[in-house]
């Protein structure tokens, strides 16, 4: 959820399992709103700039209000470490963000206190943290203490 309450969705799989390139925002229509002002609508935002579409990625809102898309899997079933950010409503262009140390898909992700924490993912037990001030990813020193894998997580770490 963006700071103004709107919701953004980026990439994923279509009904027929094709990887999508799109990104959309769900929120109130632009002025003038008239009688339909209470009805929220989907609006397109620019497609991500990464050379390939992705699914299994995660997203979060950074402390400055930008929306970040992290990792995922491309159309050739390769996990990605690439990350991008979008300042919704402010030029709306995707910009590259420092890549994660490890390629990840279907991992847990949360933004808190100027940092983004990612953990697990398909075939992963590791975790790393993105420091927004330093603009870089730092590896956490220990793996997650679980048997097997930790994946298909939502956007909350407990």
């Amino acid at each position: 959820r963006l700071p103004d309450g709107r919701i953004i969705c980026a990439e994923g799989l279509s009904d027929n399992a094709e990887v999508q390139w799109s990104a959309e925002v769900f929120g109130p229509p632009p002025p003038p709103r008239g009688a339909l002002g209470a009805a929220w609508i989907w609006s397109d935002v620019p497609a991500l700039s990464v050379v390939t579409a992705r699914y299994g990625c995660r997203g979060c809102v950074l402390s400055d209000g930008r929306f970040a898309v992290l990792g995922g899997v491309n159309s050739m079933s390769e996990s990605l470490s690439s990350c991008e950010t979008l300042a919704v409503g402010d030029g709306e262009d995707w910009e590259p963000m420092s890549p994660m140390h490890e390629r990840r898909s279907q991992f847990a992700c949360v933004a808190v206190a100027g940092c983004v924490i990612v953990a697990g993912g398909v075939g992963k037990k590791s975790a790393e943290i993105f420091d927004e001030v330093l603009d870089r990813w730092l590896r956490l020193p220990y793996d997650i203490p679980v048997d097997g894998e930790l994946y298909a997580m939502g956007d909350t770490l407990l």
Side-chain angles (χ1 to χ4, degrees), residues 1-154:
R1 190 174 282 264
L2 298 171
D4 63 5
R6 293 180 298 161
I7 299 168
I8 188 165
C9 293
E11 307 217 336
L13 294 175
S14 68
D15 291 341
N16 58 354
E18 291 180 355
V19 179
Q20 300 295 297
W21 291 77
S22 66
E24 300 174 293
V25 173
F26 186 62
R33 293 191 176 108
L36 297 177
W40 281 28
I41 61 169
W42 286 102
S43 303
D44 289 333
V45 294
L48 277 78
S49 62
V50 166
V51 183
T52 182
R54 63 174 87 196
Y55 67 94
C57 53
R58 295 296 183 251
C60 62
V61 177
L62 303 177
S63 63
D64 63 5
R66 290 177 300 152
F67 180 72
V69 172
L70 317 169
V73 175
N74 66 19
S75 58
M76 298 184 340
S77 299
E78 300 168 326
S79 290
L80 304 170
S81 62
S82 60
C83 305
E84 303 186 57
T85 62
L86 175 70
V88 178
D90 187 24
E92 294 190 349
D93 286 324
W94 290 95
E95 295 192 4
M97 181 176 154
S98 298
M100 295 179 288
H101 289 285
E102 295 193 38
R103 299 170 179 257
R104 294 181 189 275
S105 66
Q106 300 183 28
F107 50 94
C109 169
V110 66
V112 60
C115 296
V116 176
I117 302 168
V118 297
V122 175
K124 304 287 182 196
K125 291 184 182 183
S126 63
E128 40 191 306
I129 185 168
F130 179 76
D131 185 311
E132 293 182 43
V133 173
L134 298 176
D135 189 33
R136 66 180 219 175
W137 288 94
L138 306 166
R139 294 178 194 267
L140 294 180
Y142 300 102
D143 285 347
I144 300 165
V146 296
D147 292 330
E149 298 174 304
L150 180 66
Y151 69 95
M153 301 291 292

